[in-house]
Amino acid sequence: MRTILLWMARNPWLKERVPRLRFVRRAVRRFMPGEDLASAMTAAAGRRQEGIKAAYTRLGENLTDLGEAQAVADHYHEVLDAIAERGTDDEVSIKLTQLGYDLDVETAYRHFDGIARRAGEIGTWAWIDMEGSPYVEGTIAFFERSRRGHENVGLCLQAYLHRTPTDVQRLLPLRPAIRLVKGAYDEPASIAYRRGREVDAAYLAIAASLLPMVRDGAARFMAGTHDVGLVEQIARLGASLGLPPQRIEVEMLYGIRSDQQRLLAARGFDVRCLIAYGEHWYPWYMRRLAERPANVVFAVRQLLPW
Ligand code: FDA
């Protein structure tokens, strides 16, 4: 089921047609408060009252026209202006292919550099999402270049990739900010763990290698997962190093395990909710279905009148 859903996520014919189906549009609302920034910011305000911080990501990937990349960059400047106006500590998270990385890396770099500079001016962070394996090496190199100029940029790494522990070691001299996720793409067994248990073990080992750096102020580590069991294990490791829950950063997606987001925040963890919005939600939504095929049942239930 996961493989089929991830194939559907990449299929251009379906990408054109599925988003027009009304029941799918209804189902996607579970993971997305709306298609515009205002909806995302309203959702963030609600979370803030529960002690949960926010990050914003505008959906879209693999652009085919550099003009669109300019529009995306302009949009993120508007997001940062809105964050500054509200005086919140919200962050932004961006896919490089959304900034035209497939078409011209230098243009994507120029756009991201401008966003990172503006984020720095207002005292917040710009994160780089990690896409499928063909992008990993280039994205890490992009981050290394950007990190040399900006203290406030972070990178997402995927625990399912065999290479990730080595990548973490490579990045340590940069005092990196790393958001660790399990990984959302359909990667072959030659480069990635495919069994849940193996991914979890890899995740925990990478987290364990980063926590001492967090304690020493030499890295920022964010656990990007809804796996509360893993979060508990990370918290225990952190406690053994003298890190209280307040220094354990956890980030989850809007609409997923909201109850756990609230509980962790109430226990003092530094919880952030990544809020996605925008019109181009199809491949992103299909990856959310692939993570938990039971979500397909939820989507199909939207067909029913009750
Ligand atoms: P796991 O899949 O084991 O889920 C743990 C539990 O959480 C499940 O049992 C279920 O209860 C719940 N859950 C998880 N996913 C759900 C869903 N879709 N619907 C309903 N319940 C669900 N990936 C990537 O490749 N590049 C990236 O840049 C990012 N960025 C990113 C940021 C943040 C903040 C998060 C939380 C995740 C990502 N991801 C990502 C996605 C990530 O790689 C992974 O696919 C998902 O987080 C699912 O894995 P979990 O760690 O949640 O564990």
Side-chain angles (χ1 to χ4, degrees):
M1 178 71 110
R2 180 172 187 268
T3 306
I4 294 170
L5 289 165
L6 290 175
W7 170 81
M8 288 174 73
R10 295 189 301 271
N11 186 287
W13 190 88
L14 291 171
K15 187 176 177 181
E16 179 67 28
R17 286 159 182 83
V18 173
R20 292 193 209 137
L21 302 173
R22 202 178 305 159
F23 83 97
V24 179
R25 297 180 77 82
R26 262 206 307 267
V28 83
R29 292 300 290 256
R30 179 180 173 193
F31 300 113
M32 211 179 75
E35 293 194 351
D36 58 358
L37 176 62
S39 312
M41 290 203 147
T42 303
R47 297 295 169 287
R48 203 167 301 118
Q49 288 178 351
E50 299 168 334
I52 298 169
K53 299 171 178 175
Y56 303 105
T57 190
R58 188 199 197 193
L59 298 173
E61 48 201 82
N62 302 103
L63 300 187
T64 50
D65 171 358
L66 276 181
E68 290 175 64
Q70 180 67 56
V72 171
D74 291 346
H75 176 80
Y76 277 109
H77 281 275
E78 280 169 35
V79 177
L80 291 166
D81 288 346
I83 292 172
E85 208 171 285
R86 285 166 176 73
T88 58
D89 54 7
D90 300 349
E91 299 178 345
V92 294
S93 196
I94 303 166
K95 284 194 178 12
L96 294 185
T97 60
Q98 209 182 3
L99 294 176
Y101 181 90
D102 286 325
L103 305 170
D104 181 26
V105 176
E106 278 311 305
T107 302
Y109 190 80
R110 193 166 39 78
H111 287 319
F112 186 77
D113 197 55
I115 293 166
R117 189 169 321 109
R118 178 69 184 132
E121 282 165 8
I122 68 162
T124 193
W125 287 66
W127 289 84
I128 301 173
D129 289 348
M130 187 57 82
E131 300 179 60
S133 55
Y135 293 100
V136 172
E137 180 55 36
T139 303
I140 292 174
F142 191 105
F143 170 73
E144 289 175 315
R145 182 175 168 197
S146 181
R147 180 74 186 175
R148 289 193 188 99
H150 305 283
E151 293 253 309
N152 62 312
V153 298
L155 174 69
C156 180
L157 289 179
Q158 298 152 326
Y160 65 9
L161 292 182
H162 299 158
R163 60 176 287 166
T164 299
T166 313
D167 291 333
V168 169
Q169 293 307 312
R170 160 178 167 186
L171 294 175
L172 284 185
L174 291 173
R175 304 166 72 83
I178 292 174
R179 176 175 72 213
L180 187 64
V181 300
K182 290 190 184 179
Y185 297 82
D186 191 22
E187 303 294 0
S190 54
I191 61 164
Y193 300 110
R194 293 180 62 93
R195 287 170 203 261
R197 231 176 306 142
E198 288 174 334
V199 179
D200 293 355
Y203 193 106
L204 197 58
I206 297 165
S209 73
L210 282 164
L211 287 171
M213 308 298 143
V214 174
R215 178 199 55 200
D216 299 342
R220 181 174 172 194
F221 167 66
M222 193 181 266
T225 182
H226 313 97
D227 188 333
V228 181
L230 262 181
V231 172
E232 295 293 353
Q233 293 185 73
I234 290 168
R236 277 199 292 279
L237 282 172
S240 71
L241 295 166
L243 288 170
Q246 289 74 10
R247 293 200 54 201
I248 304 290
E249 291 192 65
V250 182
E251 189 167 29
M252 298 194 189
L253 302 178
Y254 174 88
I256 300 184
R257 303 206 102 173
S258 307
D259 51 342
Q260 292 295 338
Q261 296 184 30
R262 283 191 284 273
L263 281 173
L264 289 168
R267 284 170 56 198
F269 286 85
D270 189 342
V271 183
R272 195 173 287 276
C273 176
L274 178 58
I275 304 175
Y277 60 95
E279 294 160 42
H280 305 292
W281 44 260
Y282 172 74
W284 173 87
Y285 176 60
M286 295 310 285
R287 289 197 292 274
R288 301 294 78 79
L289 294 186
E291 281 158 6
R292 195 160 179 258
N295 289 335
V296 176
V297 177
F298 176 85
V300 172
R301 262 207 226 123
Q302 304 306 305
L303 274 169
L304 305 174
W306 57 86

